[in-house]
Amino acid sequence: QVQLVESGGGLVQAGGSLRLSCAASGRTFSNYAMGWFRQAPGKEREFVARISWNSMTYYADSVKGRFTISRDNARNTAYLQMNSLKPEDTAVYYCAADRGMVATTEPQNYDFWGQGTQVTVSS
């Protein structure tokens, strides 16, 4: 019953910043953990960041210290602030919602997905 729509992707130079947004429908948004994943051409979808219903966060090693996940339950929105972007960050970024109580980085454990937004980082 949750619909997710990502926005905020675009083209940025290496070292620049972008903020992705994930707008969610439904009054039960605050009960879901939210995750960000990304997928580059020819590669598997990989975990980027997760934030629980009570704002516990977890990051992939590749983005830790550069990316920050957050949520605003009043606005039914999750965010991914991306700083110090590198060309290897180029991918389609997806947000996802997880109803489970156990933290997970595995895509198959997420129940709802957005359509994705393209992030391209030029060198």
Side-chain angles (χ1 to χ4, degrees), residues 23 29 36 48 63 67 72 79 105:
F29 171 79
W36 286 96
V48 176
V63 306
F67 292 9
D72 186 340
Y79 303 94
T105 63

mmCIF file of all heavy atoms in Angstrom, residues 23 29 36 48 63 67 72 79 105:
data_model
loop_
_atom_site.group_PDB
_atom_site.id
_atom_site.type_symbol
_atom_site.label_atom_id
_atom_site.label_comp_id
_atom_site.label_asym_id
_atom_site.label_seq_id
_atom_site.Cartn_x
_atom_site.Cartn_y
_atom_site.Cartn_z
ATOM 1 N N ALA A 23 9.455 10.399 -2.146
ATOM 2 C CA ALA A 23 8.144 10.738 -1.617
ATOM 3 C C ALA A 23 7.288 9.487 -1.544
ATOM 4 O O ALA A 23 7.151 8.763 -2.527
ATOM 5 C CB ALA A 23 7.473 11.792 -2.481
ATOM 6 N N PHE A 29 3.692 5.373 6.546
ATOM 7 C CA PHE A 29 5.080 5.572 6.158
ATOM 8 C C PHE A 29 6.034 5.469 7.338
ATOM 9 O O PHE A 29 7.109 4.878 7.228
ATOM 10 C CB PHE A 29 5.235 6.928 5.471
ATOM 11 C CG PHE A 29 6.657 7.328 5.228
ATOM 12 C CD1 PHE A 29 7.367 6.794 4.166
ATOM 13 C CD2 PHE A 29 7.290 8.244 6.053
ATOM 14 C CE1 PHE A 29 8.683 7.161 3.929
ATOM 15 C CE2 PHE A 29 8.600 8.618 5.825
ATOM 16 C CZ PHE A 29 9.301 8.077 4.764
ATOM 17 N N TRP A 36 18.053 2.951 0.347
ATOM 18 C CA TRP A 36 18.484 3.417 -0.968
ATOM 19 C C TRP A 36 19.410 2.377 -1.575
ATOM 20 O O TRP A 36 20.323 1.881 -0.901
ATOM 21 C CB TRP A 36 19.207 4.764 -0.893
ATOM 22 C CG TRP A 36 18.308 5.938 -0.655
ATOM 23 C CD1 TRP A 36 18.021 6.519 0.532
ATOM 24 C CD2 TRP A 36 17.584 6.669 -1.649
ATOM 25 N NE1 TRP A 36 17.166 7.576 0.357
ATOM 26 C CE2 TRP A 36 16.874 7.694 -0.979
ATOM 27 C CE3 TRP A 36 17.466 6.568 -3.036
ATOM 28 C CZ2 TRP A 36 16.059 8.601 -1.652
ATOM 29 C CZ3 TRP A 36 16.650 7.475 -3.699
ATOM 30 C CH2 TRP A 36 15.970 8.466 -3.015
ATOM 31 N N VAL A 48 22.994 0.890 -0.647
ATOM 32 C CA VAL A 48 23.663 2.163 -0.398
ATOM 33 C C VAL A 48 23.490 2.608 1.049
ATOM 34 O O VAL A 48 24.467 2.876 1.748
ATOM 35 C CB VAL A 48 23.155 3.262 -1.345
ATOM 36 C CG1 VAL A 48 23.786 4.609 -1.003
ATOM 37 C CG2 VAL A 48 23.448 2.892 -2.796
ATOM 38 N N VAL A 63 30.160 4.414 0.527
ATOM 39 C CA VAL A 63 29.573 5.751 0.610
ATOM 40 C C VAL A 63 29.654 6.352 2.001
ATOM 41 O O VAL A 63 29.328 7.534 2.177
ATOM 42 C CB VAL A 63 28.104 5.752 0.141
ATOM 43 C CG1 VAL A 63 27.985 5.152 -1.250
ATOM 44 C CG2 VAL A 63 27.210 5.006 1.128
ATOM 45 N N PHE A 67 27.747 10.114 2.084
ATOM 46 C CA PHE A 67 26.299 10.133 1.918
ATOM 47 C C PHE A 67 25.620 10.140 3.282
ATOM 48 O O PHE A 67 26.122 9.549 4.244
ATOM 49 C CB PHE A 67 25.811 8.900 1.153
ATOM 50 C CG PHE A 67 26.211 8.845 -0.299
ATOM 51 C CD1 PHE A 67 27.114 9.744 -0.850
ATOM 52 C CD2 PHE A 67 25.666 7.864 -1.116
ATOM 53 C CE1 PHE A 67 27.477 9.673 -2.180
ATOM 54 C CE2 PHE A 67 26.018 7.788 -2.451
ATOM 55 C CZ PHE A 67 26.922 8.685 -2.985
ATOM 56 N N ASP A 72 11.806 12.463 6.915
ATOM 57 C CA ASP A 72 10.901 13.429 7.498
ATOM 58 C C ASP A 72 9.526 12.791 7.461
ATOM 59 O O ASP A 72 8.851 12.816 6.430
ATOM 60 C CB ASP A 72 10.930 14.749 6.733
ATOM 61 C CG ASP A 72 10.107 15.833 7.391
ATOM 62 O OD1 ASP A 72 9.217 15.521 8.204
ATOM 63 O OD2 ASP A 72 10.342 17.021 7.088
ATOM 64 N N TYR A 79 15.326 10.974 2.298
ATOM 65 C CA TYR A 79 16.322 11.715 1.537
ATOM 66 C C TYR A 79 17.650 10.977 1.516
ATOM 67 O O TYR A 79 17.973 10.213 2.422
ATOM 68 C CB TYR A 79 16.563 13.100 2.147
ATOM 69 C CG TYR A 79 15.331 13.948 2.272
ATOM 70 C CD1 TYR A 79 14.604 13.968 3.461
ATOM 71 C CD2 TYR A 79 14.891 14.726 1.211
ATOM 72 C CE1 TYR A 79 13.474 14.751 3.592
ATOM 73 C CE2 TYR A 79 13.756 15.511 1.332
ATOM 74 C CZ TYR A 79 13.056 15.520 2.520
ATOM 75 O OH TYR A 79 11.928 16.298 2.640
ATOM 76 N N THR A 105 20.269 -5.428 4.300
ATOM 77 C CA THR A 105 20.790 -4.753 3.117
ATOM 78 C C THR A 105 20.429 -5.507 1.842
ATOM 79 O O THR A 105 20.890 -5.137 0.762
ATOM 80 C CB THR A 105 22.312 -4.607 3.207
ATOM 81 O OG1 THR A 105 22.924 -5.905 3.237
ATOM 82 C CG2 THR A 105 22.715 -3.830 4.449
#
